[in-house]
Amino acid sequence: MNDSMQTVRLLGESAEAALAAGNIGEAEGLFRKIIGLDPRQAAAHAGLGAVAGLRGEHRLGAESLAKACELESSNPMFLHNYAESLRQLGRNGEAEPLFRKVISIDPHFIPSYDSLISLLQLNRLQAEQQKQLSYGDMLSRELAILSSNQGNAWLDIGELPKATAAYRRALEFFPGYVTALSNLANALRSEGRICEGEDAGRQAVAIDPSFAPAWNNLGNALAEEGRLDEATRCFDRALALRPGFPEARHNRGSGLLMNYIYDHEIAEEELFDMHRRWGESYPLPEGWKRRPIEAAGRPLRIGYLSPDFRMHAMLHFLEPILAHHDPAQFEVVCYAECPAQDEHSRRLMTYSHSWVRTHELDDAALAAKIESDRIDLLVDCAGHTRGGRLEALAGKPAPVMLSWMGYLGTTGLPAMDFRLTDIWADPPGIAEGQHTERLLRIPEGMMAYRPHSSCPEVGALPAASTGAITFASLNNIRKMNAQVVELWSGILKAVPGSRLLLQSGHLADAGTRGRLTGLFEAFGIRPDRIEMRKSSADFLQTYLEADIALDPMPYGGGATTCDALWMGVPVVTLSGSRPAGRLSTSILHQIGHPEWIASNLGKYVELACALAAERDRLALIRKGLRETMRSSSLCDEAGFVRRLEKIYREVAG
């Protein structure tokens, strides 16, 4: 960067800071100075437009923003602000196409939806006043489409209540709009309001039985309720209506495998066989030969494929890897299967690895991209979970492919060479028969955990003030089956005065709460001993009320277990029969507390009751657990990545 460019950059940063601080005169002077140095600095012209807008000088603002858009015709922020300045001048006819252009360039640019909807509502009001009924009806339909699309944008960035509100507004503009109703079903399910999601899905398929996405979204809601046979019929219906429909195809095949992991009544042999049979539908290409990895004298190229480079539990395990890879030895490419970026995505991008947005790529295009990038080792971090892209990997676009962490079990995919794990999550001599992949066990643990960037300090033992033990689980409520309820009811009966605190997104749903309440009552536990809460942004505060955390089965916790321990709350777990039920076992071994691991259901109850009976010990555990964890291999990010890199070098040959 030459001196002039450096000067412009520094002036720009100062101008933006002054504008953010409300120092309008200072910002204006700096923007004009930049333009004097280089008249083609679009951001400076846009800055002058913002200054003029703050002063109410919309004509001058429009002129500056028009210049910025002339210099950068595809910048959505400049275009939006220019359109807004035109709207302030009453030039709605000129503003409208600009708002449309912004949305076409960036479908997640929310403010342009709001502005365009406001403009069209004004047009509709005028049409109604002038008795132009057909034109008003056309505008109502367009407003419904815009609102539904805005809901999609909110959904993509995880703003579920706003997405739900947008879909409902679409239905106000155009009652019976099946696309909005189907999308509403999806948003409600994602928000944890499963029964409401099912109702919306059923309304959608009743209005238009030929609309495949509605059947798919209804199937998703039914799958969340554990009604897999009914869900399968919905996915089949969606595929019959739209053959090759990617989401329905995933849900009907790969997604169902994920759902079956929750089912404690399925034997491990049957579960493995389901995965193996699924994989047989995706054989390696005939005549495929591995491209030799000639890495002497150059860094290995590692690709990470994940839908979770964003606000997600996997973030705690992905970030340590991206933060600590040795750039001299490894070139990292992140294949981000995320429809939109959030603040966490943007933070991960600061680690200076290459990023590829894959959400818009079909399977063939994704595979071709990975192959053209000459990736040596591809690490799939999703498996059969939502957002997984295993079908794209079936043709083996990288010479070596590994599965890690995001899916706790075999993929069944013939192209997948290895699964990264450890001796506790996948004990030697037991786990091999549950996998089509070869198991690579990372010494000292299969992952490193990075705690939340801001979390409460560990509080005093709640039982010291309440006088009674509070057990808790913040796991996905889908992991709460009849076996778990019976087991935890036995613990509550054995510990007088104790209560159970449950928190999960699905507990926003009245039907789910009622089902669980009924289950506990069936095992002799009154409703007043169970507290149910829906998820919240400050969920870590809940651990300040918990004395002991209980891990469900057969699908136990991962990030949830780590969070509880970080907050000073010991976790009682059963070392289960499948990898998804042994991750907490791995975590507890890594932090040096294997005594909280039960080998059978009876021992599980004994361990929980023994901890509850020793409140002084519980208080000491709570006081020291975070530091114990911090000094363990579980939080040794750099050490974990060095051990992982050693394995990468070995398998690359």
Side-chain angles (χ1 to χ4, degrees), residues 4 32 58 67 97 99 119 122 128 148 154 172 180 198 296 319 326 386 423 441 477 528 547 551 578 601:
S4 176
R32 292 195 182 282
H58 299 299
K67 182 64 176 176
F99 288 129
L119 274 181
L122 180 61
E128 290 173 352
S148 184
W154 282 124
E172 290 173 5
E198 181 191 346
E319 187 160 6
D326 180 355
R386 194 175 300 278
I423 60 172
R441 295 178 174 90
I477 214 68
D528 61 3
D547 297 294
D551 199 33
R578 62 189 59 164
L601 297 178

Side-chain angles (χ1 to χ4, degrees), residues 343-390:
E343 60 179 299
H344 304 284
S345 310
R346 290 186 284 273
R347 185 179 73 251
L348 293 180
M349 293 173 75
T350 65
Y351 292 116
S352 301
H353 303 301
S354 298
W355 283 78
V356 178
R357 299 283 298 279
T358 65
H359 184 69
E360 298 299 326
L361 301 180
D362 64 19
D363 289 344
L366 174 55
K369 177 60 179 169
I370 293 168
E371 192 165 1
S372 68
D373 286 342
R374 304 288 289 178
I375 297 298
D376 297 314
L377 280 70
L378 182 74
V379 184
D380 175 67
C381 306
H384 295 287
T385 62
R386 194 175 300 278
R389 299 296 303 270
L390 287 178

Side-chain angles (χ1 to χ4, degrees), residues 552-630:
M553 71 279 306
Y555 197 151
T560 311
T561 297
C562 293
D563 291 344
L565 296 168
W566 188 253
M567 291 302 299
V569 181
V571 178
V572 176
T573 190
L574 173 72
S575 190
S577 59
R578 62 189 59 164
R582 294 192 290 257
L583 188 56
S584 291
T585 295
S586 171
I587 292 165
L588 291 174
H589 273 288
Q590 286 190 68
I591 68 166
H593 279 291
E595 72 274 17
W596 299 335
I597 303 167
S599 57
N600 56 55
L601 297 178
K603 289 290 185 183
Y604 186 105
V605 174
E606 289 178 17
L607 284 174
C609 293
L611 278 170
E614 300 182 61
R615 295 188 188 177
D616 290 344
R617 180 181 166 217
L618 271 180
L620 286 173
I621 289 169
R622 193 178 191 90
K623 187 176 181 181
L625 192 51
R626 182 174 290 187
E627 187 53 42
T628 297
M629 195 171 170
R630 185 181 279 121

